Amino acid sequence: EYYFEKLEAYVSMFICVIMRAVKQDKLAVKLDLIVIYQLMINYNAFLEILQVVGTEEEKCYFAMVEEMKENPSERIINVLTPFVNSEYKNYLDVNSGEEIIRLSDSRVNNEIVLFMLDVSSYARETDRFCKLIIDDINATFSSLSKLNQVKPTLVFFDEFGSYASMSIVTALATHR
């Protein structure tokens, strides 16, 4: 649990720096998982961005991380590499210029979104992708409820038990 909290803090601070760079036009991309992954791989590029837009606290934090024997980004890269190189990359790359699925738009426009996922060929990647989809559904419902755009919605999960966790079940249950 302690290691997870450290890892979560690292990811949060990493993303905050990148988001600030995008907002200040120091990084000319739309932020997505692929960009985060690429910056974790090219850590020196991230450090350059950090020097330009990072707060003193963030600079000290990442300097401390560099002195550690095991940089958390290595663990994250190891987990994300097969996922980012799988067929599911196309769904996450907002900078590719191709159409991507925006659940909030689909929800507002009463569209049906169907994901047909190849569990037999990409078991681990499908599990991760399903969790991302569920997180996105949760975020979409939360943001729409804040805008008072609540309306009945049906969401079906085939073989939900194969990728569900109690935190996902709890989050979805709050959006009855």
Side-chain angles (χ1 to χ4, degrees):
E1 185 176 315
Y2 173 73
Y3 183 76
F4 178 75
E5 289 175 5
K6 284 175 46 179
L7 189 62
E8 190 174 356
Y10 175 84
V11 171
S12 294
M13 199 164 295
F14 192 95
I15 292 172
C16 283
V17 170
I18 297 169
M19 287 175 63
R20 190 174 313 112
V22 170
K23 286 181 183 175
Q24 294 178 8
D25 293 325
K26 305 293 184 197
L27 188 60
V29 295
K30 293 180 183 175
L31 189 59
D32 65 6
L33 183 64
I34 308 303
V35 170
I36 293 167
Y37 173 77
Q38 289 168 342
L39 285 170
M40 283 193 174
I41 289 175
N42 188 355
Y43 195 68
N44 288 333
F46 169 76
L47 292 176
E48 289 175 20
I49 293 168
L50 177 67
Q51 292 308 312
V52 175
V53 300
T55 65
E56 287 306 313
E57 178 187 4
E58 290 165 341
K59 290 175 185 175
C60 289
Y61 174 80
F62 284 102
M64 179 192 69
V65 166
E66 285 185 61
E67 294 175 9
M68 295 171 38
K69 290 181 181 176
E70 183 181 327
N71 187 324
S73 64
E74 292 173 14
R75 181 167 181 223
I76 297 164
I77 289 168
N78 289 337
V79 171
L80 289 179
T81 297
F83 183 69
V84 167
N85 293 318
S86 75
E87 295 291 318
Y88 298 122
K89 175 185 177 184
N90 300 330
Y91 294 112
L92 303 170
D93 190 353
V94 299
N95 294 295
S96 68
E98 294 185 24
E99 290 281 329
I100 63 165
I101 298 167
R102 297 191 191 285
L103 291 178
S104 56
D105 293 346
S106 297
R107 174 67 191 96
V108 170
N109 297 327
N110 293 319
E111 297 171 342
I112 295 174
V113 177
L114 174 65
F115 295 97
M116 302 207 42
L117 308 172
D118 188 356
V119 178
S120 60
S121 296
Y122 303 104
R124 285 184 68 200
E125 292 81 5
T126 301
D127 177 66
R128 291 180 181 143
F129 188 68
C130 288
K131 289 176 181 174
L132 284 173
I133 293 169
I134 292 168
D135 285 345
D136 201 19
I137 289 170
N138 187 35
T140 298
F141 287 175
S142 294
S143 64
L144 290 174
S145 68
K146 289 176 186 173
L147 299 171
N148 291 324
Q149 295 180 349
V150 178
K151 55 184 175 178
T153 303
L154 294 175
V155 179
F156 297 94
F157 297 95
D158 189 20
E159 299 188 30
F160 183 67
S162 64
Y163 49 83
S165 67
M166 280 313 295
S167 61
I168 291 171
V169 172
T170 303
L172 290 173
T174 62
H175 297 295
R176 300 172 213 248

